[in-house]
Amino acid sequence: MQLLAETATSTGEAVQFWVLGTVAVIGGLCTVLLRRAVHAALCLAGTMIVLALFYLANGAYFLGIVQIVVYTGAVMMLFLFVLMLVGVSAADSLKETLKGQRLLAACCGLGLGILLIAGIGQISVGGFTGLSEANAGGNVPAIATLLFTRYVAAFEVVGALLTVAAVGATLLSHRERIERTKTQREQAEERVRGGVQLPPLPAPGVYARHNAVDRPALLPDGTPAELSVNPTLRQRGQIREVGPEALATLAALEQRTADHHGRSREERPRTQGNLPEGHGGSNLDEQEAPK
Amino acid sequence: MESLIGLLVGAPLLGAAVLLVGGRRLDRVGHWLASALAAVSFVLGAVLFAELLGRSTDDRTLHSHLFSWVPVEGFQADVAFQLDQLSMVFVLLITGVGTLIHLYSIGYMEHDERRRRFFGYLNLFLAAMLLLVLADNYLLLYVGWEGVGLASYLLIGFWQHKPTAAAAAKKAFLVNRVGDAGLAIAIFLMFTTFGSFAIAPVAEAAGEAGQGTLTAIGLMLLLAACGKSAQVPLQSWLGDAMEGPTPVSALIHAATMVTAGVYLITRSGALFNAAPDAQTVVVVVGAVTLLFGALVGCAKDDIKKALAGSTMSQIGYMILAAGLGPIGYAFAIMHLVTHGFFKAGLFLGAGSVMHGMNDEVDMRRYGGLRKYMPVTFVTFGLGYLAIIGFPYLSGFFSKDQIIEAAFAKGGTQGWILGAVTLLGAAITAYYMTRVMLMTFFGEKRWKPDAEGNMPHPHESPKTMTIPMVVLAFGSVFAGGLFKLNDSFVHWLEPVVSLEHGHSPVSAGTVTAATIVALVLGVGAAWLQYGRRPVPAEAPRGSLLTRAARRDLLQDDFNHVVLVRGGEHLTRSLVYLDGKVVDGAVNGVAAGFGGLSGRLRRLQNGFARSYAVSMFGGAAVLVAATLLMRAV
Amino acid sequence: MSPINYVYLAALLFTIGAAGVLIRRNAIVVFMCIELMLNASNLALVAFSRMHGNLDGQIMAFFVMVVAAAEVVVGLAIIVMLYRARHSASVDDASLMKL
């Protein structure tokens, strides 16, 4: 039989407290300071498990298990789900944007911490009662007894609260379609009216020596058609630009070919079918209309 | 019989309503309708007069209660009439002279396309004036008072296309407001003091009030009288009021409306008798105005303005007499009536002259008109003789009585007043002779008018001459008739409680002195204007003459003291309002605005910033809790 | 060792969580910091329960857990909505409620 009022806990528990307490504090600090939200969530989960162990050490066996199952198991997983939904890689820049916010936060945190610890220090603790008597018939039956007798009203209310929360969450994440789905015809009409590009975009300029989709096609006046290459390529910087030298070379080549055939340059379109394929001087349009 | 009183007021009121509402279709008959209704009023007045004559001396007051106007407990305002001897005199004067002037206007306004409207206004004036003199309480009297003010405003500005006429109308209206405010305050004081503003109860209770209150009421009534009767210091509007058509000048600004002040003081005699200080002020105002008007009348070359100065002066006589108390009331009223006759006649004569002279008003452009307008000359001449107090004409009797009463005031005051009235009589003789000589005698000084038409003086039509003749008869015989057996004074005695003062000089001496003053005045005028030709351009004249030509600087005084002073006051008040009051208000507002602007920065929209304040607050709470525990 | 040390630890964790709420901008991390604060308070409650020798503190901690669960459900739903609307989970981006 233990004394009703103890003055100290066992040495084992003290060791456990100091080791696990350090882990919990480090976990908390990591939660606050790590840039990636996933890391923070994992650290928090670790802290929660440590806290669950503390609950167990303090005789709150039911709560300890619930902490692991519900908090670490369910709630933290919910956090991770939402993180996945929002984007795992969304790293949080730790650079402060609000002026003076960090200083104020530090002041508030330090002040609150010092005040709380000073407040706790004021309480004279000679000894403590311990839960051996309260837990005599087992922790879970004792809690159940309290919960369903003295706290039954609060229990019911909290149950209702959970239901409401569940319904509310459903309602919040549910998106109702409030307008009729557009038919294909309406979409087509809308596109015409909106003045967007209706026919297919121009194809890129394909040269035999490149056979590439990364070269813009040339417009009749010799300028590159920007629309003819995929914007993704442009964003990646994988476009081969058609420089002025290339254009000049092309013009000279065509001129030579025309001279070779003894015709003026203006008549060239009629003779383009005679151009050798391997010259690489023809663009897509010329290839599409061979004679 | 009592119900006739309502009709008496109602007839011209109906005329005004019909003429002003009826529109153009009444243009051809409007003037005859208005004149007929004025005549109806006069006939009703005469019938009522006969009724009163038939009664015994003590029973000559008729009451007629039309309806309760404001039937509130403790504040009973009725529309009720009271016709006694005093009212009767006024009723006959107003309707009689009024009818004649209506008749005259038919000819005078013949070529005016707005004649119907003019007659409507005239009828409106008659109704208001009758209401004024018949009201049995001061509130109703106030309605009439304002009504005549309105009619006066409308008629002075009748030719509103002339800027001078519009300005004169405005001026008359504004100056009259000052007096009207006085009357209103007097009524308020009566109500708070006596609990009533009906004339009879107030007169009965007059002795019970404190001396200060009575003096205040008296002074306020005097202020009202000054405004309406153009007495110093509210005299400045009368000269300008001559911008109105001449019949208006004759009826409103000579015979009737301007005497309303005298009526008011006589009617409130009981109050003034109980307030000797107020009476003294009344006498002083009368004496000052008497000389003031006479001096102005001497200097004016405009015939109507000269007559206006004369009117002011003669009303000064009446106010002075009324201020003398029971020894003077009856004579004030008597002079009022005779003055009504001869001054209306003079104005009508002046109008007739202007009619024949292309509306020329400058007497220096007249001269020698007696051959061209014989009727006008004779009637005007009779009026002239009456006003200067030629023996056995109207003015002689009435003015003589006032001078006697002034001496009878007794003591130094009596001597001073007597001297002033005698001096006034001399000056009256001077300036009226001047008018007479410049207009009808001497050589012709006619000049073509602005359009180059040479005037062709001619006698006026019958509708104009007949009223002049009738009024001339009145000027000649009214005084004698009244004086016969002192019938007029005895008639008024029950109302005005006549007393006979003890004059230090005998009546004969006063009469002799008056005649001497008259001869001196006429002689001086003849020496200056009769013996040698009148210059067509006014000579520069002495300082006094030049001042008198400018109405003895009354407008300059008003301008400097009231207008400039008012402007400065307003400007400083605006400055005060803008800088101090608004400054304080705006300053507080700007202060709060600035503070809010600073505080607004706290509301930066960032949830984390709000969280900091929440945690800060939590920390403060914890600290407070700990502090409380420590204490 | 006295069980009061658990309370000290709880205060420390609570403060760390509070500072995290003030410093972090990612709404999910902020939310996790709030969870840390709730857990810290739970630890204190459990320690109190032991010190006083009755189970009321544990009951309180139990209720805190349930309410926290409800809060997480609704809060995460709100964060998802926010992300859908603004394509960002930063609490600083939702700063329209100002003048």
Side-chain angles (χ1 to χ4, degrees):
Chain A
M1 169 132 185
Q2 285 177 286
L3 285 171
L4 204 61
E6 296 161 303
T7 49
T9 53
S10 64
T11 319
E13 196 189 340
V15 172
Q16 183 209 25
F17 173 80
W18 289 115
V19 174
L20 290 183
T22 316
V23 174
V25 170
I26 290 171
L29 284 175
C30 288
T31 308
V32 172
L33 297 177
L34 285 183
R35 284 183 69 219
R36 289 198 177 253
V38 178
H39 296 169
L42 289 176
C43 289
L44 183 62
T47 308
M48 283 179 174
I49 290 171
V50 170
L51 288 184
L53 292 176
F54 281 149
Y55 293 173
L56 292 175
N58 275 314
Y61 307 116
F62 177 66
L63 277 186
I65 301 303
V66 166
Q67 171 84 357
I68 290 176
V69 173
V70 174
Y71 245 121
T72 323
V75 171
M76 285 320 295
M77 290 316 112
L78 196 56
F79 269 103
L80 286 175
F81 272 132
V82 172
L83 272 177
M84 298 303 155
L85 207 62
V86 170
V88 184
S89 63
D92 204 7
S93 157
L94 282 179
K95 198 177 166 221
E96 185 55 61
T97 47
L98 294 186
K99 200 176 133 198
Q101 171 78 8
R102 191 159 283 182
L103 183 72
L104 279 172
C107 285
C108 276
L110 273 179
L112 196 65
I114 289 168
L115 280 169
L116 282 176
I117 286 166
I120 298 163
Q122 272 193 350
I123 307 162
S124 58
V125 272
F128 62 97
T129 312
L131 282 171
S132 36
E133 193 186 349
N135 275 344
N139 178 250
V140 177
I143 283 191
T145 311
L146 264 181
L147 208 54
F148 292 116
T149 53
R150 193 190 296 173
Y151 293 105
V152 68
F155 184 74
E156 296 294 341
V157 170
V158 163
L161 175 70
L162 270 180
T163 316
V164 170
V167 172
T170 320
L171 199 67
L172 277 176
S173 44
H174 177 66
R175 256 195 305 193
E176 196 165 0
R177 178 173 284 282
I178 52 173
E179 53 195 13
R180 191 173 54 82
T181 320
K182 284 184 183 128
T183 63
Q184 209 168 6
R185 182 178 181 79
E186 282 169 337
Q187 282 178 339
E189 281 172 354
E190 209 168 73
R191 220 175 298 141
V192 173
R193 217 167 277 135
V196 294
Q197 173 102 12
L198 282 177
L201 292 171
V206 178
Y207 296 85
R209 54 183 165 184
H210 292 294
N211 193 22
V213 291
D214 55 357
R215 261 184 200 267
L218 292 184
L219 293 173
D221 60 348
T223 54
E226 301 294 329
L227 275 175
S228 60
V229 288
N230 193 326
T232 313
L233 293 182
R234 188 179 303 283
Q235 274 195 339
R236 284 191 196 153
Q238 293 170 337
I239 296 274
R240 289 169 196 256
E241 291 297 339
V242 182
E245 299 87 13
L247 290 174
T249 318
L250 183 65
L253 184 69
E254 286 183 353
Q255 186 63 51
R256 272 205 310 280
T257 314
D259 291 346
H260 178 72
H261 288 280
R263 293 186 179 90
S264 70
R265 212 174 158 231
E266 281 71 36
E267 296 169 20
R268 178 179 53 84
R270 260 177 269 155
T271 61
Q272 60 192 190
N274 300 328
L275 280 172
E277 292 289 307
H279 276 214
S282 67
N283 57 23
L284 191 65
D285 290 337
E286 289 163 347
Q287 280 186 344
E288 274 180 349
K291 289 280 162 78
Chain B
M1 196 49 77
E2 280 83 357
S3 57
L4 289 184
I5 304 175
L7 275 181
L8 192 62
V9 181
L13 196 60
L14 175 78
V18 167
L19 288 183
L20 293 179
V21 176
R24 296 227 176 90
R25 72 202 76 152
L26 290 173
D27 273 354
R28 296 175 61 192
V29 293
H31 45 284
W32 289 113
L33 178 70
S35 308
L37 285 168
V40 165
S41 262
F42 177 64
V43 170
L44 288 172
V47 169
L48 285 165
F49 180 54
E51 163 78 12
L52 286 196
L53 274 181
R55 297 186 175 209
S56 69
T57 319
D58 303 331
D59 190 29
R60 280 178 176 162
T61 305
L62 295 179
H63 292 279
S64 165
H65 184 267
L66 278 194
F67 58 90
S68 285
W69 179 14
V70 187
V72 175
E73 178 68 33
F75 183 96
Q76 294 292 333
D78 295 334
V79 175
F81 300 124
Q82 168 191 317
L83 180 70
D84 60 5
Q85 292 92 329
L86 180 61
S87 304
M88 195 69 241
V89 170
F90 272 89
V91 166
L92 289 178
L93 176 72
I94 294 160
T95 54
V97 176
T99 308
L100 290 176
I101 286 172
H102 270 76
L103 211 59
Y104 177 89
S105 305
I106 293 173
Y108 190 84
M109 303 296 284
E110 196 170 2
H111 305 298
D112 197 302
E113 55 189 31
R114 291 162 73 231
R115 180 161 67 161
R116 171 185 53 82
R117 189 185 293 264
F118 179 80
F119 277 89
Y121 293 158
L122 275 189
N123 264 2
L124 177 67
F125 168 75
L126 277 193
M129 191 72 201
L130 287 170
L131 189 67
L132 196 164
V133 298
L134 285 170
D136 95 325
N137 60 62
Y138 281 99
L139 200 62
L140 196 59
L141 184 148
Y142 188 79
V143 175
W145 192 269
E146 292 293 334
V148 294
L150 170 69
S152 162
Y153 166 77
L154 291 171
L155 286 167
I156 294 171
F158 186 73
W159 288 322
Q160 71 249 53
H161 53 85
K162 287 198 294 185
T164 48
K170 248 187 303 186
K171 186 175 179 184
F173 196 75
L174 286 177
V175 176
N176 266 298
R177 302 313 312 162
V178 182
D180 296 348
L183 182 55
I185 293 170
I187 295 174
F188 301 157
L189 283 174
M190 280 179 210
F191 185 69
T192 48
T193 312
F194 306 113
S196 166
F197 41 72
I199 288 169
V202 168
E204 275 168 31
E208 299 161 16
Q211 196 59 45
T213 317
L214 283 173
T215 308
I217 295 178
L219 289 179
M220 284 299 125
L221 287 174
L222 174 65
L223 184 66
C226 283
K228 201 57 90 191
S229 296
Q231 300 294 293
V232 176
L234 299 180
Q235 80 289 11
S236 63
W237 64 272
L238 186 61
D240 291 356
M242 295 303 131
E243 287 291 341
T246 309
V248 173
S249 308
L251 177 62
I252 301 185
H253 305 120
T256 53
M257 187 193 84
V258 285
T259 59
V262 183
Y263 171 78
L264 185 68
I265 292 177
T266 312
R267 184 52 93 191
S268 315
L271 289 166
F272 278 98
N273 292 344
D277 292 342
Q279 269 185 325
T280 310
V281 181
V282 174
V283 170
V284 169
V285 165
V288 169
T289 313
L290 191 169
L291 293 179
F292 186 101
L295 285 176
V296 171
C298 290
K300 290 287 185 187
D301 288 333
D302 179 328
I303 185 169
K304 285 179 73 180
K305 291 202 170 166
L307 289 177
S310 160
T311 304
M312 216 186 278
S313 167
Q314 297 301 316
I315 296 170
Y317 269 110
M318 301 171 208
I319 294 279
L320 187 148
L324 293 175
I327 57 173
Y329 291 133
F331 305 128
I333 301 299
M334 184 166 150
H335 190 56
L336 192 156
V337 175
T338 55
H339 174 257
F341 281 118
F342 56 67
K343 185 53 66 63
L346 286 171
F347 264 110
L348 294 192
S352 176
V353 169
M354 285 159 59
H355 197 70
M357 295 292 287
N358 290 354
D359 287 331
E360 177 64 71
V361 290
D362 190 348
M363 291 190 286
R364 293 189 187 275
R365 307 248 170 113
Y366 292 166
L369 288 176
R370 64 181 186 279
K371 288 174 198 149
Y372 299 89
M373 314 180 151
V375 181
T376 306
F377 170 60
V378 171
T379 53
F380 195 93
L382 288 174
Y384 153 72
L385 289 178
I387 193 175
I388 63 174
F390 194 81
Y392 302 107
L393 266 60
S394 292
F396 170 74
F397 294 111
S398 53
K399 201 181 287 180
D400 200 42
Q401 300 275 28
I402 291 178
I403 296 170
E404 270 180 46
F407 278 112
K409 174 80 175 167
T412 324
Q413 246 186 32
W415 282 106
I416 293 174
L417 292 176
V420 167
T421 48
L422 273 178
L423 182 61
I427 303 177
T428 307
Y430 172 79
Y431 68 73
M432 283 314 299
T433 311
R434 173 174 174 269
V435 169
M436 197 67 196
L437 291 174
M438 285 174 86
T439 306
F440 291 103
F441 293 90
E443 74 280 22
K444 304 170 192 170
R445 299 181 299 277
W446 311 342
K447 290 245 173 77
D449 64 6
E451 282 133 31
N453 302 326
M454 204 59 190
H456 299 287
H458 55 275
E459 193 50 83
S460 300
K462 284 275 190 307
T463 47
M464 289 168 71
T465 50
I466 290 172
M468 285 154 62
V469 171
V470 175
L471 287 172
F473 269 99
S475 313
V476 174
F477 300 113
L481 205 65
F482 294 161
K483 183 71 179 167
L484 205 64
N485 299 329
D486 279 339
S487 55
F488 188 82
V489 174
H490 289 310
W491 166 260
L492 281 179
E493 199 175 342
V495 184
V496 297
S497 59
L498 183 71
E499 282 175 22
H500 288 286
H502 302 285
S503 178
V505 285
S506 71
T509 320
V510 171
T511 309
T514 314
I515 291 173
V516 169
L518 158 69
V519 170
L520 283 177
V522 172
W526 186 75
L527 283 177
Q528 199 172 351
Y529 295 99
R531 226 170 43 150
R532 50 178 189 236
V534 179
E537 291 304 320
R540 195 150 175 275
S542 67
L543 204 62
L544 182 65
T545 315
R546 272 180 284 151
R549 275 190 200 133
R550 299 197 56 160
D551 297 322
L552 289 177
L553 304 177
Q554 60 190 11
D555 285 335
D556 306 81
F557 175 82
N558 286 349
H559 187 75
V560 170
V561 175
L562 298 176
V563 178
R564 289 264 178 77
E567 276 172 0
H568 280 118
L569 183 69
T570 320
R571 220 171 284 147
S572 50
L573 282 178
V574 165
Y575 181 82
L576 192 75
D577 184 54
K579 297 287 169 179
V580 180
V581 178
D582 285 5
V585 173
N586 292 344
V588 171
F592 274 102
L595 196 65
S596 312
R598 301 263 145 65
L599 284 175
R600 199 182 63 172
R601 305 246 173 93
L602 292 178
Q603 182 85 12
N604 54 10
F606 292 111
R608 291 190 299 138
S609 180
Y610 304 157
V612 166
S613 30
M614 275 171 66
F615 279 111
V620 169
L621 277 182
V622 172
T625 316
L626 290 180
L627 221 63
M628 291 307 290
R629 279 174 60 90
V631 175
Chain C
M1 190 198 83
S2 161
I4 199 74
N5 285 353
Y6 288 110
V7 183
Y8 282 120
L9 179 62
L12 198 57
L13 288 177
F14 184 88
T15 311
I16 291 172
V21 169
L22 300 188
I23 292 170
R24 298 304 296 260
R25 263 173 302 177
N26 188 329
I28 298 172
V29 178
V30 170
F31 216 15
M32 289 195 286
C33 291
I34 291 173
E35 292 302 316
L36 182 60
M37 289 162 74
L38 287 167
N39 273 289
S41 66
N42 274 356
L43 179 61
L45 285 171
V46 168
F48 291 147
S49 171
R50 183 182 184 192
M51 285 156 74
H52 288 281
N54 63 34
L55 293 176
D56 291 325
Q58 292 187 15
I59 299 284
M60 282 304 134
F62 174 74
F63 281 139
V64 168
M65 277 184 189
V66 178
V67 173
E71 179 211 331
V72 164
V73 169
V74 176
L76 286 178
I78 290 174
I79 287 173
V80 170
M81 290 281 291
L82 197 69
Y83 185 77
R84 269 191 205 150
R86 310 188 65 90
H87 298 286
S88 152
S90 169
V91 287
D92 283 4
D93 284 351
S95 62
L96 292 175
M97 294 286 280
K98 65 181 173 190
L99 286 169

mmCIF file of all heavy atoms in Angstrom, chain B residues 38-52:
data_model
loop_
_atom_site.group_PDB
_atom_site.id
_atom_site.type_symbol
_atom_site.label_atom_id
_atom_site.label_comp_id
_atom_site.label_asym_id
_atom_site.label_seq_id
_atom_site.Cartn_x
_atom_site.Cartn_y
_atom_site.Cartn_z
ATOM 1 N N ALA B 38 -65.062 100.927 -52.282
ATOM 2 C CA ALA B 38 -64.588 101.936 -51.337
ATOM 3 C C ALA B 38 -65.749 102.850 -50.945
ATOM 4 O O ALA B 38 -65.923 103.178 -49.757
ATOM 5 C CB ALA B 38 -63.455 102.748 -51.962
ATOM 6 N N ALA B 39 -66.550 103.222 -51.944
ATOM 7 C CA ALA B 39 -67.706 104.076 -51.659
ATOM 8 C C ALA B 39 -68.688 103.354 -50.757
ATOM 9 O O ALA B 39 -69.267 103.949 -49.837
ATOM 10 C CB ALA B 39 -68.375 104.481 -52.964
ATOM 11 N N VAL B 40 -68.866 102.015 -51.005
ATOM 12 C CA VAL B 40 -69.753 101.239 -50.136
ATOM 13 C C VAL B 40 -69.266 101.318 -48.700
ATOM 14 O O VAL B 40 -70.029 101.530 -47.761
ATOM 15 C CB VAL B 40 -69.817 99.776 -50.617
ATOM 16 C CG1 VAL B 40 -70.408 98.888 -49.544
ATOM 17 C CG2 VAL B 40 -70.606 99.680 -51.900
ATOM 18 N N SER B 41 -67.968 101.164 -48.538
ATOM 19 C CA SER B 41 -67.391 101.259 -47.200
ATOM 20 C C SER B 41 -67.711 102.612 -46.581
ATOM 21 O O SER B 41 -68.070 102.715 -45.412
ATOM 22 C CB SER B 41 -65.874 101.088 -47.274
ATOM 23 O OG SER B 41 -65.533 99.787 -46.961
ATOM 24 N N PHE B 42 -67.533 103.648 -47.402
ATOM 25 C CA PHE B 42 -67.787 104.998 -46.882
ATOM 26 C C PHE B 42 -69.253 105.146 -46.473
ATOM 27 O O PHE B 42 -69.560 105.679 -45.405
ATOM 28 C CB PHE B 42 -67.426 106.030 -47.944
ATOM 29 C CG PHE B 42 -67.717 107.440 -47.513
ATOM 30 C CD1 PHE B 42 -67.033 107.993 -46.434
ATOM 31 C CD2 PHE B 42 -68.674 108.209 -48.157
ATOM 32 C CE1 PHE B 42 -67.295 109.276 -46.020
ATOM 33 C CE2 PHE B 42 -68.943 109.502 -47.745
ATOM 34 C CZ PHE B 42 -68.253 110.027 -46.668
ATOM 35 N N VAL B 43 -70.153 104.626 -47.318
ATOM 36 C CA VAL B 43 -71.583 104.733 -46.999
ATOM 37 C C VAL B 43 -71.875 103.986 -45.702
ATOM 38 O O VAL B 43 -72.560 104.486 -44.809
ATOM 39 C CB VAL B 43 -72.427 104.186 -48.163
ATOM 40 C CG1 VAL B 43 -73.882 104.076 -47.748
ATOM 41 C CG2 VAL B 43 -72.277 105.094 -49.363
ATOM 42 N N LEU B 44 -71.312 102.768 -45.586
ATOM 43 C CA LEU B 44 -71.517 102.008 -44.355
ATOM 44 C C LEU B 44 -70.997 102.786 -43.155
ATOM 45 O O LEU B 44 -71.622 102.836 -42.097
ATOM 46 C CB LEU B 44 -70.799 100.655 -44.448
ATOM 47 C CG LEU B 44 -71.435 99.629 -45.379
ATOM 48 C CD1 LEU B 44 -70.531 98.426 -45.515
ATOM 49 C CD2 LEU B 44 -72.787 99.215 -44.830
ATOM 50 N N GLY B 45 -69.808 103.406 -43.346
ATOM 51 C CA GLY B 45 -69.250 104.216 -42.271
ATOM 52 C C GLY B 45 -70.197 105.331 -41.883
ATOM 53 O O GLY B 45 -70.408 105.596 -40.701
ATOM 54 N N ALA B 46 -70.761 105.980 -42.922
ATOM 55 C CA ALA B 46 -71.679 107.085 -42.642
ATOM 56 C C ALA B 46 -72.909 106.598 -41.902
ATOM 57 O O ALA B 46 -73.387 107.239 -40.946
ATOM 58 C CB ALA B 46 -72.075 107.748 -43.960
ATOM 59 N N VAL B 47 -73.411 105.411 -42.311
ATOM 60 C CA VAL B 47 -74.583 104.848 -41.632
ATOM 61 C C VAL B 47 -74.265 104.589 -40.171
ATOM 62 O O VAL B 47 -75.031 104.943 -39.265
ATOM 63 C CB VAL B 47 -75.034 103.550 -42.338
ATOM 64 C CG1 VAL B 47 -76.073 102.831 -41.494
ATOM 65 C CG2 VAL B 47 -75.564 103.859 -43.714
ATOM 66 N N LEU B 48 -73.123 104.003 -39.937
ATOM 67 C CA LEU B 48 -72.729 103.711 -38.565
ATOM 68 C C LEU B 48 -72.541 104.995 -37.771
ATOM 69 O O LEU B 48 -72.861 105.071 -36.585
ATOM 70 C CB LEU B 48 -71.440 102.888 -38.558
ATOM 71 C CG LEU B 48 -71.621 101.429 -38.955
ATOM 72 C CD1 LEU B 48 -70.294 100.786 -39.266
ATOM 73 C CD2 LEU B 48 -72.326 100.675 -37.831
ATOM 74 N N PHE B 49 -72.012 106.035 -38.462
ATOM 75 C CA PHE B 49 -71.820 107.323 -37.803
ATOM 76 C C PHE B 49 -73.164 107.891 -37.352
ATOM 77 O O PHE B 49 -73.308 108.344 -36.208
ATOM 78 C CB PHE B 49 -71.120 108.275 -38.782
ATOM 79 C CG PHE B 49 -70.867 109.630 -38.226
ATOM 80 C CD1 PHE B 49 -70.177 109.789 -37.023
ATOM 81 C CD2 PHE B 49 -71.303 110.771 -38.890
ATOM 82 C CE1 PHE B 49 -69.927 111.038 -36.509
ATOM 83 C CE2 PHE B 49 -71.060 112.030 -38.370
ATOM 84 C CZ PHE B 49 -70.367 112.164 -37.177
ATOM 85 N N ALA B 50 -74.125 107.771 -38.266
ATOM 86 C CA ALA B 50 -75.470 108.249 -37.910
ATOM 87 C C ALA B 50 -76.002 107.479 -36.713
ATOM 88 O O ALA B 50 -76.588 108.051 -35.783
ATOM 89 C CB ALA B 50 -76.405 108.087 -39.109
ATOM 90 N N GLU B 51 -75.752 106.150 -36.714
ATOM 91 C CA GLU B 51 -76.201 105.306 -35.607
ATOM 92 C C GLU B 51 -75.575 105.778 -34.291
ATOM 93 O O GLU B 51 -76.260 105.923 -33.268
ATOM 94 C CB GLU B 51 -75.811 103.852 -35.893
ATOM 95 C CG GLU B 51 -75.822 102.927 -34.713
ATOM 96 C CD GLU B 51 -77.223 102.487 -34.343
ATOM 97 O OE1 GLU B 51 -78.128 102.731 -35.155
ATOM 98 O OE2 GLU B 51 -77.398 101.927 -33.245
ATOM 99 N N LEU B 52 -74.264 106.048 -34.333
ATOM 100 C CA LEU B 52 -73.577 106.479 -33.117
ATOM 101 C C LEU B 52 -74.109 107.831 -32.673
ATOM 102 O O LEU B 52 -74.308 108.072 -31.472
ATOM 103 C CB LEU B 52 -72.069 106.589 -33.360
ATOM 104 C CG LEU B 52 -71.279 105.296 -33.475
ATOM 105 C CD1 LEU B 52 -69.791 105.580 -33.324
ATOM 106 C CD2 LEU B 52 -71.709 104.294 -32.432
#
